[in-house]
Amino acid sequence: MNSNPSSCDLAWIRDSIRKNSLRLVIASCLVAVALAGTPLLAVGPAPVSPRERISIDDDWRFTKGDPTNSESFRGLLYDVRPGQTLRRFTAEADGNATMNESDGANESTNPPAVIKQWILPTGNEFIKDPARRFVRPEGNPGDGVAYVQPDFDDGSWQKINLPHDWAIAGPFTRSGGGGMGRLPTAGVGWYRKQLSISAADAGKSIFLDVDGAMSYATVWLNGRLVGGWPFGYASWRVNLTPFVKFGGQNELVIRLDNPPNSSRWYPGAGIYRNVWLVKTSPVHVGHWGTYLTTPEVSPASATVNLKVTVDNDSRRNSNVGVATEIYSLNSNGRKIGRAVASLAPLYLQISSHDHAVAEGKTTVVHPKLWGPPPTQKPNRYVAVTTVSQDGKVVDVYETPFGIRTLKFDPDKGVFVNGEHLDLKGVCDHHDLGALGAAFNTRAAQRQLEMLQAMGCNALRTSHNPPAPELLDLADQMGFLVMDESFDVWFRQKTPLDFHLIFADWHEQDLRAHLRRDRNHPSVIMWSIGNEVGEQFTFGSGAAVAKKLVNIVREEDPTRPTTTAMNWAQPTNPFTATVDLIGLNYQGAGIRGVPGQYPAFHEQFPDKMIFGSETASALSSRGEYVFPVTTNISAAVGPNSGEDRARRQVSAYELYAAAFGSSADKVFASQEKNPYVGGEFVWTGWDYLGEPTPFDASRSSYSGIIDLAGFKKDRFYLYQAYWRPDLPMAHILPHWTWPERLGHVTPVHVFTSGDEAELFLNGKSLGRKKKAQYEYRLRWDDVVYQPGTLKVVAYKNGKRWATDDVKTAGEPAALKIEPDRSEICADGRDLSFVAVTVTDKKGVTVPPADNRIHFEITGPGEIVATDNGDPTSFESFPSHDRNAFNGLCLAIVRGKPGKEGKIRLTAKADGLKAETVSIKTTWNSNKYDSLIADIANRRH
Ligand code: GAL
């Protein structure tokens, strides 16, 4: 065996992964390496932990809808929902959220039986006051329902692997509102899976960990109701132990029930994140049972405080020892070298069916700090906690973490490790475009890579807890995260949204979110809510906010709280409840009121202010609408940036939602108020749903990057501002306008330089310099003639960067470019393949909308196609799709376990086809880091 742990025998690992025993593989790998006498683990073989965290994503059966031959499923409703009037949600995004909890009263005269009393106890561990905890009633809802029964024959159900989004394949619907993305998310979905649990596991505790299921999940094992969790963005655990048949097959059944009118964007549908089976000794580290903080950090040393909650599920009281060692991690998440610090063993006495907390501290000498690139590095450590009982190791639990200091200065903004940094952030929803809500690590990584290339250093998880792996990626890549819990509290934004369960579940959901995420160095602040309706209620809204803030302080006093406010005024008591003032749109100006940063700064001289949501600039990639406004920002409208007939918005990047502002105007508002800590742009990527200003479309116009992952011009506007040291220049619009011969066609340039000269067919159109608070250079009177536009940008008087655009001829060929030509054969890794329509000289044909047909051979499949057009109703799995402004995308996945060459061909009538090959292999670097991703989170 090779002594380098990053190249442990791949075939062996592969086979073990197939057998779903990753934990053992990693543990054994480390043991094997240590035994081979390498210096990897100088402290000796890693103890083999009885803890197993097994991926159970594969081989599920799925069907939509409840059984038709059984009436008793009616008793499976979580709760009575208020009359489903299917009222369309038409409120303005910055409008007043209205309804409160009393409006959600039961409107039915003959209410069906509901099961919430059986579900609520699942959240008990997150309810602080024992008197408020729930007691499970007698009985077993689901008893009479065929799909719940262990012997039900699900052979005719669809075979699927998780993560799964049942709605993403469509079809799109043209009726109703566009808010939720026009895809069939509403309704019931059933999942079944057989779990073989060996007799040797008898006596262990067995848990099901669900990273996210949309929504209202109910879980049965072997026909017995186990529990569930309604909030679709939560990660949660149910204890299967009392229901397990050891030494046999166990039938796991999950029912989801997604309401209509429950979201302002596309929520997705199904078990859309990873799912794990966790087996532990009866005495083990509790659920998200470690909490690690670094209260003192200096170049010489860092103090590490660690609290470990140990559960005793056994029938006898136990004495246990808890010891921890700390190691450095490499960039792939692997332990390197010797332990750099350790916490001496702490001893606990834990009564039967109780828990106890061990708390200790240690020092890391000369800590390598975690911080965002390009000026800092996201260095990480891992705390390896070993729990022993009677001299035997009963659990080993890993907590990756980072050491860093944060300061939020009311006058100067954000400091990370003493360095001043502006938050150059974006808000993003959880969907992954054509893949829907079904989480995929590579797709998320691609999103973050593109954002980082733009200079983005911060993410806001609008408006709910993200997939856990997103935060792993943020830790690895060095993003600063505003981690957000809720979009609504008591007051609704859509008729069947989270407000229905807020009263019962806010404490459990918030504590669960905080405990899950509080060890991530990337998380720098907690947002308790986005534009919640309670902003409008003064005293009573402030009371709810205070309650939530107190919960945050109990769970994590190390990070500040915030809430994203588009309405609350400086004097509203609501505003004063949080530590950081997060303003949505109010900073640059909203509803005719000019920028309000100064008013908030004056009222809160001791709180940092930042733009929690900015811009809402709108555009469609490659669409240019004339005439072009001469302002730096304009509200989009019928004669202002809109192409109504085609439902597209101009990409001159000057137009915004009525309550928003162009990027340029936001930059100016921040520079004029230098105490502002930075911004989170609405949005980094386009998302499904909320297609303002054209409700008839399927997806948003607000992304800097379109839904398929193609850059809009706006990408370069941000890059120019956020990466001032990167020599770059970008011209817009494209230069293929046969119908504009002789017409004024403004040319704008985004550059990190300060000056530029524009040339049309070699003739100078003048050299221009950016004035203060100007972020683009514009030649608004250029008369179109075909040919070449070229810009030469300067910085401090020196030549800095160039760009050119050429007039294209007729479409002649297709150019096909995968983002990666080698992917891992794990059945999850992806290659994103871009297809460009070019003329015969290879120049991109900007308006091309040729219909492209994809064909694939070899060990791969086309998962989805897209073109970034918000008006396209082609279903995502289709292998045929029109190019949109010259571009089209196919997403290719390797078949699990099959190495080889995938060949993808793009064809279009009258155009030269092209084929690309993509290798799928186990022996790829990507594979290595995927292993690390999973290994990081093996508890
Ligand atoms: C904001 C809101 C976002 C989104 C956006 C639309 O007010 O917080 O969720 O709706 O408007 O541009």
Side-chain angles (χ1 to χ4, degrees):
M1 171 166 295
N2 190 315
S3 64
N4 174 357
S6 66
S7 49
C8 281
D9 186 325
L10 287 166
W12 174 56
I13 294 179
R14 173 193 61 208
D15 288 347
S16 306
I17 280 200
R18 283 215 202 103
K19 290 180 207 142
N20 277 340
S21 55
L22 179 62
R23 183 208 59 84
L24 282 177
V25 170
I26 291 161
S28 317
C29 186
L30 295 176
V31 172
V33 171
L35 291 179
T38 75
L40 175 76
L41 287 179
V43 289
V48 176
S49 169
R51 173 180 291 264
E52 290 177 76
R53 186 168 185 262
I54 303 164
S55 166
I56 52 164
D57 282 346
D58 291 349
D59 303 325
W60 287 73
R61 294 283 181 163
F62 168 75
T63 195
K64 268 202 85 179
D66 280 315
T68 46
N69 57 356
S70 155
E71 272 299 294
S72 46
F73 68 84
R74 293 197 188 285
L76 302 184
L77 248 193
Y78 173 80
D79 199 0
V80 177
R81 290 176 182 157
Q84 300 185 4
T85 52
L86 302 187
R87 174 157 63 91
R88 227 181 77 192
F89 176 67
T90 50
E92 273 294 312
D94 69 336
N96 185 342
T98 48
M99 216 162 158
N100 65 29
E101 77 263 49
S102 60
D103 298 319
N106 176 4
E107 292 171 17
S108 165
T109 45
N110 184 16
V114 297
I115 57 163
K116 81 173 188 176
Q117 293 309 328
W118 281 266
I119 304 297
L120 280 161
T122 307
N124 275 348
E125 71 172 294
F126 302 100
I127 300 175
K128 191 174 162 206
D129 175 4
R132 278 204 55 239
R133 296 193 188 130
F134 296 90
V135 177
R136 180 184 165 121
E138 293 295 314
N140 187 47
D143 257 351
V145 179
Y147 292 177
V148 170
Q149 306 315 313
D151 56 0
F152 174 76
D153 179 5
D154 57 21
S156 62
W157 290 17
Q158 199 186 334
K159 274 181 156 174
I160 55 116
N161 292 335
L162 308 179
H164 175 240
D165 179 348
W166 80 58
I168 194 60
F172 287 99
T173 160
R174 283 169 200 272
S175 62
M180 287 175 68
R182 305 188 166 280
L183 287 164
T185 50
V188 167
W190 286 86
Y191 293 83
R192 288 173 59 100
K193 178 173 174 67
Q194 287 215 331
L195 297 174
S196 159
I197 300 184
S198 96
D201 288 330
K204 290 184 183 167
S205 295
I206 313 284
F207 303 101
L208 173 73
D209 280 4
V210 175
D211 288 349
M214 190 63 70
S215 57
Y216 289 91
T218 309
V219 180
W220 290 264
L221 189 72
N222 301 325
R224 304 279 304 153
L225 193 148
V226 180
W229 203 285
F231 185 37
Y233 294 98
S235 297
W236 45 275
R237 158 176 286 189
V238 287
N239 185 359
L240 300 179
T241 320
F243 311 100
V244 170
K245 205 162 77 196
F246 292 95
Q249 290 299 339
N250 289 264
E251 199 64 49
L252 179 64
V253 179
I254 300 181
R255 178 185 187 266
L256 304 180
D257 186 359
N258 240 9
N261 293 308
S262 58
S263 179
R264 300 184 299 113
W265 58 88
Y266 176 72
I271 307 178
Y272 70 105
R273 291 181 184 159
N274 293 313
V275 173
W276 311 88
L277 189 69
V278 177
K279 302 179 185 173
T280 68
S281 298
V283 174
H284 58 267
V285 174
H287 191 205
W288 301 314
T290 56
Y291 176 42
L292 201 146
T293 57
T294 54
E296 288 143 34
V297 180
S298 73
S301 69
T303 309
V304 177
N305 278 0
L306 178 64
K307 278 190 197 172
V308 183
T309 303
V310 182
D311 288 353
N312 178 4
D313 291 351
S314 74
R315 265 182 261 133
R316 61 184 181 102
N317 301 341
S318 302
N319 295 324
V320 303
V322 181
T324 298
E325 293 197 313
I326 293 174
Y327 295 84
S328 285
L329 290 179
N330 69 11
S331 56
N332 279 346
R334 289 242 159 69
K335 291 193 210 65
I336 39 173
R338 295 162 184 270
V340 296
S342 56
L343 278 88
L346 295 156
Y347 297 94
L348 296 174
Q349 283 192 329
I350 321 173
S351 310
S352 163
H353 296 292
D354 201 353
H355 66 270
V357 179
E359 186 167 357
K361 66 174 168 183
T362 186
T363 302
V364 173
V365 180
H366 299 307
K368 286 185 282 171
L369 303 184
W370 182 97
T375 49
Q376 302 190 35
K377 279 202 181 136
N379 295 304
R380 286 180 302 151
Y381 292 89
V382 63
V384 181
T385 300
T386 304
V387 181
S388 312
Q389 188 184 12
D390 304 329
K392 234 178 84 192
V393 171
V394 289
D395 200 3
V396 179
Y397 187 95
E398 299 205 345
T399 312
F401 69 102
I403 299 174
R404 42 111 182 104
T405 64
L406 297 173
K407 189 169 125 193
F408 299 91
D409 187 298
D411 296 315
K412 299 194 184 116
V414 179
F415 289 78
V416 180
N417 300 320
E419 185 194 4
H420 176 253
L421 294 168
D422 278 325
L423 296 172
K424 301 170 175 175
V426 299
C427 307
D428 270 328
H429 276 310
H430 68 312
D431 77 59
L432 296 167
L435 302 173
F439 186 78
N440 179 285
T441 306
R442 171 56 201 159
Q445 186 186 43
R446 168 183 180 243
Q447 290 199 337
L448 301 193
E449 282 170 356
M450 287 182 68
L451 293 170
Q452 204 161 50
M454 185 171 75
C456 170
N457 65 8
L459 305 168
R460 174 180 178 215
T461 66
S462 41
H463 297 300
N464 297 109
E469 291 82 0
L470 187 90
L471 294 180
D472 292 341
L473 289 170
D475 289 349
Q476 275 187 18
M477 297 173 77
F479 281 91
L480 305 168
V481 177
M482 171 180 173
D483 201 352
E484 189 153 83
S485 296
F486 305 123
D487 190 48
V488 286
W489 298 345
F490 286 112
R491 291 167 72 88
Q492 74 163 46
K493 291 183 181 171
T494 57
L496 300 180
D497 63 25
F498 182 70
H499 84 284
L500 295 179
I501 53 173
F502 183 80
D504 279 342
W505 282 92
H506 65 273
E507 182 183 358
Q508 300 90 305
D509 277 317
L510 183 54
R511 286 192 200 276
H513 180 200
L514 298 162
R515 285 185 207 168
R516 190 194 73 169
D517 290 353
R518 65 190 174 175
N519 293 319
H520 286 278
S522 56
V523 175
I524 62 163
M525 62 175 90
W526 301 112
S527 168
I528 54 172
N530 171 57
E531 298 185 353
V532 292
E534 283 73 3
Q535 285 176 101
F536 306 92
T537 61
F538 295 83
S540 67
V544 183
K546 270 189 205 146
K547 200 169 162 203
L548 299 177
V549 164
N550 284 342
I551 291 176
V552 177
R553 294 206 174 120
E554 284 168 9
E555 297 292 335
D556 179 29
T558 72
R559 295 175 179 90
T561 54
T562 191
T563 183
M565 296 175 287
N566 67 331
W567 196 279
Q569 297 302 296
T571 51
N572 181 337
F574 179 91
T575 314
T577 56
V578 284
D579 302 315
L580 304 177
I581 306 292
L583 298 184
N584 284 12
Y585 309 103
Q586 299 198 71
I590 192 171
R591 294 179 287 272
V593 182
Q596 292 175 73
Y597 284 132
F600 281 90
H601 189 46
E602 198 170 305
Q603 180 77 17
F604 297 103
D606 52 355
K607 293 191 182 191
M608 192 194 84
I609 303 175
F610 68 104
S612 41
E613 196 170 311
T614 59
S616 253
L618 306 172
S619 58
S620 312
R621 174 184 52 76
E623 296 283 328
Y624 303 91
V625 180
F626 301 94
V628 177
T629 177
T630 52
N631 293 332
I632 64 151
S633 182
V636 78
N639 296 310
S640 179
E642 280 184 2
D643 181 337
R644 290 229 133 184
R646 304 183 60 246
R647 297 203 309 275
Q648 303 295 1
V649 181
S650 177
Y652 271 93
E653 310 298 9
L654 290 163
Y655 301 94
F659 52 87
S661 304
S662 68
D664 315 51
K665 189 174 164 198
V666 175
F667 294 152
S669 72
Q670 303 206 338
E671 268 182 32
K672 288 176 188 166
N673 300 288
Y675 48 84
V676 173
E679 63 169 319
F680 290 90
V681 179
W682 191 265
T683 50
W685 282 62
D686 270 330
Y687 54 96
L688 289 162
E690 210 183 19
T692 313
F694 299 117
D695 189 57
S697 297
R698 65 164 198 197
S699 52
S700 79
Y701 296 76
S702 56
I704 299 169
I705 298 168
D706 78 15
L707 199 74
F710 298 122
K711 296 166 188 160
K712 299 184 188 173
D713 292 296
R714 220 181 317 150
F715 179 95
Y716 300 98
L717 181 52
Y718 284 99
Q719 191 179 55
Y721 189 59
W722 283 352
R723 295 187 66 184
D725 298 332
L726 177 79
M728 54 78 59
H730 174 81
I731 298 176
L732 71 149
H734 64 73
W735 211 240
T736 304
W737 297 105
E739 71 282 16
R740 299 194 62 77
L741 204 60
H743 291 284
V744 169
T745 306
V747 176
H748 293 191
V749 169
F750 303 145
T751 175
S752 49
D754 46 29
E755 223 178 319
E757 186 166 10
L758 185 70
F759 301 88
L760 176 55
N761 295 330
K763 183 167 168 272
S764 174
L765 300 182
R767 182 160 164 163
K768 305 207 176 206
K769 198 172 173 117
K770 287 181 198 163
Q772 196 184 17
Y773 308 129
E774 273 182 10
Y775 307 92
R776 67 174 70 201
L777 293 164
R778 48 202 290 180
W779 288 259
D780 277 339
D781 49 6
V782 180
V783 176
Y784 178 75
Q785 311 159 19
T788 301
L789 266 182
K790 177 172 177 177
V791 70
V792 180
Y794 298 86
K795 189 154 184 155
N796 300 324
K798 292 210 183 94
R799 199 177 156 105
W800 177 249
T802 65
D803 188 28
D804 59 39
V805 284
K806 291 189 167 65
T807 303
E810 290 302 309
L814 296 174
K815 188 167 82 186
I816 178 162
E817 293 166 297
D819 69 338
R820 284 147 78 249
S821 50
E822 182 175 316
I823 58 172
C824 174
D826 65 352
R828 302 191 184 277
D829 200 5
L830 301 170
S831 184
F832 290 84
V833 185
V835 175
T836 310
V837 181
T838 72
D839 68 7
K840 58 179 190 293
K841 291 188 189 146
V843 177
T844 304
V845 183
D849 61 357
N850 304 64
R851 186 138 186 91
I852 296 172
H853 173 69
F854 291 99
E855 281 169 13
I856 194 162
T857 59
E861 57 189 333
I862 297 168
V863 192
T865 59
D866 191 14
N867 57 15
D869 178 357
T871 70
S872 168
F873 283 0
E874 189 95 59
S875 79
F876 286 121
S878 172
H879 291 193
D880 296 277
R881 184 171 295 276
N882 290 18
F884 176 58
N885 290 319
L887 301 178
C888 189
L889 176 83
I891 306 174
V892 171
R893 178 167 62 197
K895 293 206 173 131
K898 301 241 167 77
E899 292 186 310
K901 224 183 226 177
I902 301 168
R903 291 173 70 77
L904 179 75
T905 302
K907 297 178 173 168
D909 282 351
L911 307 189
K912 195 165 154 271
E914 211 188 15
T915 300
V916 73
S917 72
I918 299 162
K919 194 169 153 196
T920 72
T921 169
W922 286 103
N923 192 14
S924 82
N925 295 331
K926 172 65 190 149
Y927 176 67
D928 225 24
S929 64
L930 271 186
I931 282 276
D933 276 350
I934 301 167
N936 273 344
R937 307 197 53 262
R938 59 178 181 274
H939 43 68

